[in-house]
């Protein structure tokens, strides 16, 4: 059965249309998108980038990624948390990033919120995480019991009960630019859910989900 939402590349591999338009998007799709990211810095980086992506295309963010890393100290939350107003003004002049005051200030405040999580109690989907837990631990606690199994682009969700609950907790903990849709995009990007289309050569690449959508681990 032909799927018009999957395109065979010159290498014979099937990818969704969004990942077939440019070399950088194809490389990102083939090597990174949907692979598990479980470290605090890695999750903080992707949360920040998803926030900057709001209202823009992912290609716009991806092509400035190294600029973002340079501007935000490699997304080390300890370093970003001490940024001050002078840093905000500096970043507003940085052509290597998206110069949006609200998103810049949110990234700094989100770094501070990330640090605060380390000493917090009652974190996570079941409230079982305590002092010593990280942003990554909190985000991964919202992994669902099943992953979607979309066959067409129209079947790919943009929000879920888990992303809505995650957004609610993060907002409660002081995070900004973390709405349910943005958090679902984060969950897709770091492997918490697998929304690769059935038939894509990357379906199941995270190693976390069985063919029927149930968890392997």
């Amino acid at each position: 059965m032909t799927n018009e939402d999957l395109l065979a590349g010159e290498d014979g591999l099937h990818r969704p249309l969004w990942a077939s338009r440019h070399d950088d998007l194809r490389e990102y799709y083939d090597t990174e998108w949907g692979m598990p990211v479980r470290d605090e810095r890695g999750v903080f980086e992707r949360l920040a980038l998803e926030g900057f992506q709001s209202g823009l295309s992912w290609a716009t963010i991806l092509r400035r990624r190294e600029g973002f890393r340079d501007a935000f100290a490699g997304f080390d939350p300890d370093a970003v948390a001490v940024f001050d107003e002078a840093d905000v003004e500096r970043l507003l002049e940085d052509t290597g990033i998206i110069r949006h005051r609200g998103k810049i200030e949110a990234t700094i405040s989100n770094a501070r919120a990330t640090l605060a999580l380390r000493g917090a109690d009652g974190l996570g989907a079941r409230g079982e995480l305590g002092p010593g837990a990280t942003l990554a631990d909190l985000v991964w606690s919202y992994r669902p019991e099943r992953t979607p199994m979309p066959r067409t682009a129209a079947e790919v969700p943009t929000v879920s009960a888990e992303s809505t609950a995650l957004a609610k907790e993060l907002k409660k903990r002081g995070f900004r630019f973390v709405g349910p849709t943005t958090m679902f995009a984060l969950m897709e990007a770091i492997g918490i859910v697998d929304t690769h289309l059935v038939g894509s050569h990357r379906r199941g690449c995270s190693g976390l989900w069985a063919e029927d959508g149930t968890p392997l681990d």
Side-chain angles (χ1 to χ4, degrees), residues 144-167:
E145 294 182 1
R146 297 184 66 90
T147 193
M149 299 182 65
R151 295 184 178 277
T152 66
E155 293 178 1
V156 178
T158 58
V159 69
S160 69
E162 291 81 11
S163 75
T164 300
L166 171 59

Side-chain angles (χ1 to χ4, degrees), residues 45-63:
E45 174 183 351
R46 287 155 180 82
L47 183 146
L49 293 179
E50 292 293 348
F52 272 100
Q53 190 269 334
S54 179
L56 302 170
S57 72
W58 178 246
T60 298
I61 302 302
L62 185 62
R63 290 163 190 165

Side-chain angles (χ1 to χ4, degrees), residues 1 3 25 31 40 42 60 74 82 100 103 113 118-119 188 208:
M1 180 177 177
N3 185 345
L25 287 171
T31 63
E40 181 184 63
T60 298
V82 298
H100 184 292
K103 293 177 181 180
R118 299 173 185 170
E188 292 177 289
L208 299 180

Side-chain angles (χ1 to χ4, degrees), residues 55-99:
L56 302 170
S57 72
W58 178 246
T60 298
I61 302 302
L62 185 62
R63 290 163 190 165
R64 289 170 171 78
R65 191 172 188 179
E66 291 308 316
F68 277 112
R69 285 173 170 169
D70 290 342
F72 287 100
F75 288 104
D76 176 357
D78 291 277
V80 178
V82 298
F83 280 17
D84 57 17
E85 185 57 33
D87 290 296
V88 174
E89 296 302 320
R90 169 180 60 83
L91 292 169
L92 285 170
E93 299 298 321
D94 191 336
T95 58
I97 67 171
I98 302 300
R99 293 176 290 174

Side-chain angles (χ1 to χ4, degrees), residues 8-209:
E10 293 181 358
D11 53 9
L13 301 177
H14 288 80
R15 302 174 180 86
L17 300 182
W18 71 263
S20 304
R21 295 191 180 109
H22 303 288
D23 289 345
D24 49 3
L25 287 171
R26 182 166 52 251
E27 180 180 359
Y28 174 68
Y29 181 80
D30 284 354
T31 63
E32 184 175 351
W33 190 71
M35 294 300 291
V37 177
R38 295 182 181 271
D39 64 292
E40 181 184 63
R41 184 184 295 206
V43 173
F44 175 67
E45 174 183 351
R46 287 155 180 82
L47 183 146
L49 293 179
E50 292 293 348
F52 272 100
Q53 190 269 334
S54 179
L56 302 170
S57 72
W58 178 246
T60 298
I61 302 302
L62 185 62
R63 290 163 190 165
R64 289 170 171 78
R65 191 172 188 179
E66 291 308 316
F68 277 112
R69 285 173 170 169
D70 290 342
F72 287 100
F75 288 104
D76 176 357
D78 291 277
V80 178
V82 298
F83 280 17
D84 57 17
E85 185 57 33
D87 290 296
V88 174
E89 296 302 320
R90 169 180 60 83
L91 292 169
L92 285 170
E93 299 298 321
D94 191 336
T95 58
I97 67 171
I98 302 300
R99 293 176 290 174
H100 184 292
R101 180 180 289 273
K103 293 177 181 180
I104 290 169
E105 291 177 344
T107 300
I108 296 169
S109 65
N110 287 352
R112 295 168 183 163
T114 296
L115 268 57
L117 290 178
R118 299 173 185 170
D121 227 333
L123 299 173
R126 290 166 292 280
E128 77 281 16
L129 301 175
T134 68
L135 172 64
D137 296 323
L138 187 159
V139 171
W140 275 88
S141 76
Y142 284 90
R143 181 181 171 187
E145 294 182 1
R146 297 184 66 90
T147 193
M149 299 182 65
R151 295 184 178 277
T152 66
E155 293 178 1
V156 178
T158 58
V159 69
S160 69
E162 291 81 11
S163 75
T164 300
L166 171 59
K168 182 178 180 180
E169 176 164 9
L170 288 174
K171 288 178 181 178
K172 175 183 175 182
R173 302 286 177 177
F175 287 81
R176 297 162 56 192
F177 281 92
V178 290
T181 300
T182 300
M183 288 304 93
F184 190 79
L186 173 69
M187 296 168 84
E188 292 177 289
I190 66 175
I192 294 178
V193 295
D194 184 351
T195 57
H196 291 283
L197 298 185
V198 174
S200 164
H201 83 101
R202 295 292 287 170
R203 181 73 195 177
C205 65
S206 70
L208 299 180
W209 301 100

